[in-house]
Amino acid sequence: MSIEVRGVSKKYGDFVALDDVSVSLPTGQLTALLGPSGGGKSTLLRIIAGLETADAGTVAIEGVEATHLPPQKRNVGFVFQHYAVFKHMTVAKNVAFGLEIRKHPRPEVQARVAELLELVHLAQFADRLPSQLSGGQRQRMALARALAVSPSVLLLDEPFGALDAKVRKELRDWLRRLHDEVHVTTVFVTHDQEEALEVADEIVVINAGRVEQVGTPDQLYDAPANDFVMGFLGDVTTLGGRLVRPHDIDVSPTPLGPDAVEGTVSRVLRIGFEVRLTVLTDAGEVVTVELTRTHARRLGVGEGSTVFLAAVPA
Amino acid sequence: MASLGGRWLRRLIVVGYLWLLVLWPTWYVAKNTLVGGFGAFWDLLRLPEVTSALEVTARVSVIAVAINVVFGVWLSVVLVRYRFPGRRVLSALIDLPLSVSPVVVGLALMLVYSPAYGWFGKPLSSAGVQIVFATPGMVLATCFVTLPLVIREVVPVLEELGEDQEQAARSLGAGTWQTFRRITVPGIRWALVYGLVLSLARALGEFGAVKVVSSRIAGKSMTATTLVEARSQFAPHEAYALSFLLAFAGVVCLVIVALLRSLGEKS
């Protein structure tokens, strides 16, 4: 295990940010700490990096007890949501910072910086100032800077949170590819479940200072440990008093089985390739159902039509 | 829409106000200084008492500004980066020198450091250290009155910079001092220079506090401002010449600050 967190608690005044959290993050993997804002995931990441101190509990990195080590002795790379670029240094100087602090010989530093800028596709921007870069480029530079010192773990705090949707998606794909190339143990914090599901090998769901569930994206999506995880990882609706995913409901004009629930379509909403039906059941439940456009057209449902709903067995 | 006449009238009032308050008196100082020609002005500046006063002022100001820069930055970092009980009180106290009359500051220093009755001055004096009526006292007084100038420039810039860059430097292996020197100082450098120049201008012109704690021996411990006051009645030409020089130094400082501002905004 690359990072071992044992019984970590942290309070800010009366607010409990982390409550006896224990988690093991495996070597070489890309792990997401996923949860709602204020749930404690960033605090956990900052405690691992040494930027915050835990009130109780221990942190070990690569088998080394790190609880009381200052951040500069932990050999972690940290990437901040708002990039934390060194504004007065060129891109190359930013990336070289950690190596210069470690007093590596000049030619070696230059070679390593060139190699990293190549890796993050910023080679032609080496002599620019960060203010001349776009948000996405700044974050790639921050990543190169963190990777320069060959950290044993790379920690990213909402790395794409400040970027617009399109750049976000590009960088997300790029991070995944980069990780497949570099293989450094990586932990990133996100509140975006799509980001976590798409990029991570493993997801740790954190809510209200506690770990709700740890697992692969498939495990979490298909077998959520509780209603919170189910609700956080995707859309949910209630059918017959049970939480179901809106796309896991069968819709038909005739009852398909004994459990089918009868209802009336009250609203049809088309979003791109997907159609969202709001169905008012005879029992008084409001159920959201998601279908593909083709499926909806085949069924011929419209506002006012009578339909029968049944949960698709997982 | 205001009429054209009204607009001109308003401008005239503002300009007239500035003229009566600032420009006319300053111009009069300049006129009286140079009434005997530039050569006479130069001769006045070379009088031993005048050169001595300028030397004392320069020495006290430079030492005070140097101390002020070190402690100003230190206090700013403490105020912005650390949370501790009494932080707000400390922050309010820093503005005290701006609101308290410098004469009071001088008197307060006397109460503490006077060799005759100061509770700190007596033991120091018996140990052979003289604070008041000597350069250390004048430096202390100048430090006191210039204290807020560096801090009030640096604090907002430090706040705006935030801790992210410093934390990033730490995570990259930099220690406290390396982080301060390589990240914090470059981040606040314009504010620091700006505060430094303002402090220097204020230090050169300080009168009240320094007057109380200095021994005021012409040719030895008199500063430029105290000499101006001492000579204003009986040797007005010396007073004019020194005043002109002090005003000139002040204007130079203002110009430097203005240039730095535009430079700092560009970078």
Side-chain angles (χ1 to χ4, degrees), chain A residues 100-305:
Chain A
E100 285 180 353
I101 287 288
R102 285 168 173 73
K103 301 205 159 53
H104 284 242
R106 231 185 136 83
E108 190 194 311
V109 172
Q110 281 171 348
R112 178 94 176 119
V113 168
E115 176 195 330
L116 279 157
L117 288 179
E118 202 64 51
L119 183 74
V120 301
H121 310 298
L122 288 174
Q124 71 272 38
F125 298 119
D127 297 321
R128 295 224 189 151
L129 282 173
S131 56
Q132 296 167 297
L133 302 182
S134 71
Q137 289 170 334
R138 281 182 215 184
Q139 198 57 300
R140 296 208 308 264
M141 185 199 84
L143 242 148
R145 183 176 71 181
L147 286 171
V149 295
S150 311
S152 42
V153 291
L154 180 63
L155 307 172
L156 304 101
D157 189 5
E158 302 250 7
F160 312 131
L163 301 166
D164 64 60
K166 192 166 166 285
V167 181
R168 228 182 136 101
K169 215 161 159 41
E170 282 169 19
L171 270 189
R172 197 195 279 178
D173 296 344
W174 175 81
L175 175 67
R176 181 67 241 184
R177 285 200 307 274
L178 182 82
H179 183 263
D180 293 341
E181 266 178 64
V182 185
H183 284 303
V184 57
T185 306
T186 305
V187 184
F188 76 103
V189 159
T190 180
H191 61 257
D192 180 343
Q193 82 284 358
E194 199 186 306
E195 195 165 284
L197 290 171
E198 205 178 301
V199 179
D201 297 313
E202 188 166 79
I203 299 177
V204 179
V205 181
I206 297 179
N207 177 44
R210 293 172 164 280
V211 174
E212 298 278 355
Q213 192 176 2
V214 182
T216 64
D218 284 351
Q219 283 169 351
L220 262 64
Y221 198 83
D222 296 338
N226 52 42
D227 285 357
F228 174 82
V229 175
M230 174 137 187
F232 198 76
L233 251 67
D235 293 333
V236 285
T237 189
T238 35
L239 178 63
R242 237 164 32 89
L243 280 183
V244 223
R245 301 224 181 270
H247 55 77
D248 280 345
I249 297 176
D250 251 344
V251 186
S252 74
T254 50
L256 285 174
D259 298 333
V261 178
E262 191 178 348
T264 316
V265 177
S266 64
R267 192 160 176 236
V268 180
L269 187 68
R270 218 197 102 190
I271 307 146
F273 63 90
E274 156 190 316
V275 175
R276 200 172 293 169
L277 306 178
T278 309
V279 179
L280 192 63
T281 65
D282 291 355
E285 259 180 343
V286 181
V287 186
T288 311
V289 186
E290 281 170 13
L291 309 165
T292 62
R293 196 143 59 101
T294 356
H295 190 189
R297 206 176 286 153
R298 203 161 354 114
L299 286 170
V301 289
E303 275 167 29
S305 13

Side-chain angles (χ1 to χ4, degrees), chain A residues 46 51 70-72 76 78 80 82 84-89 97-98 100-103 145-146 149, chain B residues 160-161 163-176 178-179 182-184 186-187 189:
Chain A
R46 293 172 67 84
L51 300 174
Q72 67 266 32
V76 296
F78 201 94
F80 295 78
H82 297 287
V85 296
F86 302 143
K87 286 181 189 154
H88 59 286
M89 297 181 195
F97 185 85
E100 285 180 353
I101 287 288
R102 285 168 173 73
K103 301 205 159 53
R145 183 176 71 181
V149 295
Chain B
E160 201 197 308
L161 271 179
E163 269 181 286
D164 274 10
Q165 292 186 54
E166 289 165 14
Q167 291 184 342
R170 298 299 290 273
S171 78
L172 288 166
T176 312
Q178 284 170 316
T179 305
R182 286 168 173 255
I183 305 300
T184 315
R189 65 189 185 283

Side-chain angles (χ1 to χ4, degrees), chain B:
Chain B
M1 273 308 219
S3 75
L4 200 65
R7 198 156 63 200
W8 278 104
L9 183 69
R10 280 201 299 274
R11 283 183 192 176
L12 204 67
I13 290 171
V14 173
V15 172
Y17 175 77
L18 278 178
W19 169 253
L20 284 175
L21 194 72
V22 182
L23 295 174
W24 198 23
T26 318
W27 180 72
Y28 234 77
V29 169
K31 195 185 134 193
N32 274 301
T33 304
L34 299 171
V35 74
F38 198 77
F41 167 62
W42 188 243
D43 287 341
L44 282 173
L45 287 187
R46 283 169 58 202
L47 287 174
E49 286 169 11
V50 176
T51 43
S52 154
L54 288 173
E55 249 180 61
V56 172
T57 291
R59 186 172 65 229
V60 169
S61 301
V62 167
I63 299 174
V65 167
I67 294 175
N68 200 11
V69 164
V70 172
F71 281 92
V73 172
W74 197 340
L75 267 166
S76 306
V77 170
V78 167
L79 277 175
V80 176
R81 294 288 183 258
Y82 298 92
R83 293 288 169 271
F84 52 93
R87 195 179 69 92
R88 277 155 176 263
V89 177
L90 184 65
S91 175
L93 271 180
I94 278 162
D95 283 335
L96 202 66
L98 287 180
S99 52
V100 171
S101 163
V103 177
V104 178
V105 173
L107 197 69
L109 286 174
M110 284 294 278
L111 285 174
V112 177
Y113 293 108
S114 157
Y117 49 83
W119 65 262
F120 204 45
K122 266 191 215 162
L124 277 177
S125 136
S126 48
V129 181
Q130 202 184 354
I131 304 282
V132 293
F133 306 132
T135 308
M138 292 193 273
V139 170
L140 267 181
T142 312
C143 279
F144 191 107
V145 294
T146 54
L147 175 74
L149 299 173
V150 167
I151 297 174
R152 287 295 161 234
E153 289 300 324
V154 171
V155 160
V157 177
L158 265 181
E159 271 168 358
E160 201 197 308
L161 271 179
E163 269 181 286
D164 274 10
Q165 292 186 54
E166 289 165 14
Q167 291 184 342
R170 298 299 290 273
S171 78
L172 288 166
T176 312
W177 175 247
Q178 284 170 316
T179 305
F180 175 74
R181 203 177 60 78
R182 286 168 173 255
I183 305 300
T184 315
V185 170
I188 60 173
R189 65 189 185 283
W190 291 115
L192 188 56
V193 176
Y194 188 62
L196 190 152
V197 178
L198 277 181
S199 297
L200 186 65
R202 180 75 181 80
L204 291 175
E206 175 46 30
F207 171 66
V210 166
K211 189 187 173 186
V212 176
V213 297
S214 72
S215 52
R216 276 171 287 160
I217 300 165
K220 188 165 166 274
S221 62
M222 228 176 216
T223 62
T225 48
T226 40
L227 191 67
V228 167
E229 193 226 22
R231 294 298 148 88
S232 58
Q233 294 222 312
F234 305 109
H237 291 297
E238 277 176 44
Y240 284 136
L242 262 175
S243 302
F244 181 74
L245 198 67
L246 284 172
F248 184 73
V251 169
V252 169
C253 285
L254 276 184
V255 170
I256 292 174
V257 162
L259 284 176
L260 287 175
R261 274 258 153 114
S262 65
L263 260 175
E265 270 159 26
K266 257 181 238 158
S267 73

